[in-house]
Amino acid sequence: TGVAGVRNAAPFYEKVLVEPQPAHLRAVRTRTPTPKGDVCLDLTFSDSSVRGAVVLPPDLSGTFRWQGADHALGPGSNVIGR
């Protein structure tokens, strides 16, 4: 939770929701521990856009939510805002 916005989205951490809340920050680099492994964010923000990567551990999937739009995340590296 917090700035990274990483939280459990299903029982037993089968899925996560990543909904960053950067406020005035232009970049967020975080490592959030979960029972399945670390969720890593490396994101940059510009006005209403976001770019970067979200890395999920093996056996964990989830959703990246930004300004009301959802994007599926799979295990490994996920490119955000191509």
Side-chain angles (χ1 to χ4, degrees), residues 25-78:
L25 299 175
R26 293 192 181 268
V28 171
R29 288 189 182 122
T30 63
R31 181 179 304 266
T32 304
T34 76
K36 296 218 172 186
D38 292 343
V39 174
C40 300
L41 277 64
D42 185 358
L43 302 171
T44 57
F45 304 92
S46 175
D47 298 322
S48 62
S49 67
V50 60
R51 296 179 70 99
V54 175
V55 181
L56 299 183
D59 300 323
L60 184 61
S61 62
T63 301
F64 181 84
R65 183 173 293 153
W66 179 251
Q67 296 184 336
D70 288 353
H71 306 279
L73 299 171
S77 185
N78 297 268

